[in-house]
């Protein structure tokens, strides 16, 4: 980032999952204010086939393998972009199954923010049942999103005094309406270079994501201890 500033160039992170359909739907509900003050966010990605071996570099920690380095940047980018105050405290845990390599097949992070927002970010490569993708608790309502975010999924929103709203959709249908993140992120980069817009995700935000990932790793290594950011 410093080198780009000195050279007068643009540096951009590839946080393409800022455009994932499930995330965009969740963000719209939060921005509507329907849930009231948000107290708790749980973001989790996981399959349903149980433990499996890491493929290629993903199974080797020294090559930046493991779910913390693979999915961590995306999930953390999403939740950090939803928060309105800075993260102040980070706790993390990872699980390694030696027979499948030395990289983590599971990680979980607990984040606490200045306004007491409580966030869990989790990626499970050891589950035999697909976990809930999102659960958000607010003073006025609750959101839950379940299913396969790459296929068919469902979002339910229940607000005080109102009937529960359920949206059944697919990733493909939402991308057709909202655009493909793998394309939109490059359009934003082009606009930034041309001086007519901003990046989809700033380089400064990517540095924050990296700092939080480092804190999760350090917390996991000291075992049962949190790390202040």
């Amino acid at each position: 980032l410093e080198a780009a500033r000195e050279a007068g160039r643009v540096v951009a992170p590839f946080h393409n999952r800022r455009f994932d359909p499930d995330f965009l739907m969740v963000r719209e509900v939060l921005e509507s204010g329907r849930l009231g003050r948000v107290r708790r966010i749980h973001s989790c990605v996981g399959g349903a086939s149980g433990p499996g071996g890491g493929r290629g570099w993903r199974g080797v920690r020294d090559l930046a393998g493991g779910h913390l380095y693979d999915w961590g940047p995306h999930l953390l980018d999403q939740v950090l972009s939803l928060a309105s105050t800075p993260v102040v405290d980070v706790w993390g845990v990872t699980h390694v199954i030696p027979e499948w390599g030395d990289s983590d097949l599971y990680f979980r992070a607990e984040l606490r923010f200045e306004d007491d927002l409580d966030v869990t970010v989790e990626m499970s490569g050891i589950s035999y049942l697909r976990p809930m993708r999102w659960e958000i608790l607010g003073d006025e309502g609750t959101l839950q999103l379940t299913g396969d975010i790459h296929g068919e999924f469902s979002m339910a929103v229940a607000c005080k005094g109102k009937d529960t709203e359920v949206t059944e959709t697919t990733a493909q249908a939402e991308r057709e309406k909202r655009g493909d993140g793998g394309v939109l992120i490059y359009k934003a980069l082009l606009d930034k270079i041309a001086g007519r817009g901003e990046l989809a995700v700033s380089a400064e935000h990517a540095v924050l994501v990296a700092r939080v990932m480092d804190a999760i790793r350090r917390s996991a290594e000291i075992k049962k201890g949190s790390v202040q950011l």
Side-chain angles (χ1 to χ4, degrees):
L1 179 53
E2 291 174 354
R5 287 171 178 162
E6 292 175 0
R9 295 291 186 266
V10 175
V11 59
F14 190 69
H15 280 306
N16 59 311
R17 291 196 177 276
R18 185 74 72 92
F19 294 96
D20 276 9
D22 63 291
F23 172 71
L24 295 178
M25 293 172 67
V26 166
R27 189 177 68 183
E28 287 175 359
V29 173
L30 291 180
E31 291 178 346
S32 74
R34 294 159 60 193
L35 302 185
R37 178 179 174 181
V38 175
R39 306 283 182 170
R40 163 85 175 151
I41 297 176
H42 187 177
S43 168
C44 180
V45 167
S49 57
R55 295 177 296 278
W57 62 268
R58 285 182 169 85
V60 183
R61 178 173 173 173
D62 285 348
L63 298 180
H67 286 315
L68 175 58
Y69 289 152
D70 190 1
W71 271 94
H74 300 301
L75 301 183
L76 289 165
D77 166 60
Q78 290 178 345
V79 298
L80 289 170
S81 74
L82 296 176
S84 57
T85 63
V87 58
V88 295
D89 193 73
V90 178
W91 175 90
V93 63
T94 60
H95 290 291
V96 176
I97 300 178
E99 65 187 274
W100 295 113
D102 67 350
S103 64
D104 53 278
L105 293 180
Y106 173 97
F107 87 88
R108 185 173 77 258
E110 306 290 343
L111 312 179
R112 184 173 59 86
F113 292 77
E114 278 189 357
D115 61 357
D116 288 330
L117 174 65
D118 166 31
V119 173
T120 298
V121 175
E122 184 177 16
M123 201 298 166
S124 175
I126 60 177
S127 178
Y128 290 90
L129 293 172
R130 188 181 300 280
M132 183 181 299
R133 173 66 183 91
W134 292 94
E135 182 173 55
I136 301 179
L137 307 178
D139 290 351
E140 303 293 326
T142 298
L143 178 152
Q144 292 183 346
L145 193 144
T146 59
D148 181 358
I149 59 172
H150 301 298
E152 299 179 352
F153 62 91
S154 173
M155 182 178 72
V157 179
C159 296
K160 183 171 63 176
K162 298 181 180 180
D163 293 336
T164 300
E165 298 179 15
V166 178
T167 302
E168 305 280 353
T169 188
T170 67
Q172 181 60 32
E174 296 301 321
R175 286 196 184 93
E176 290 174 359
K177 291 190 296 184
R178 304 167 185 273
D180 187 328
V183 175
L184 295 173
I185 199 166
Y186 284 113
K187 288 183 177 179
L189 175 59
L190 176 60
D191 287 344
K192 176 66 174 179
I193 293 172
R196 57 174 181 257
E198 294 300 323
L199 296 171
V201 182
S202 72
E204 291 81 1
H205 182 82
V207 171
L208 171 61
V209 170
R211 289 180 61 214
V212 173
M213 286 179 59
D214 184 58
I216 294 168
R217 177 67 73 191
R218 284 186 284 127
S219 174
E221 288 174 348
I222 64 178
K223 299 188 183 300
K224 299 183 179 180
S226 62
V227 174
Q228 292 188 336
L229 209 64

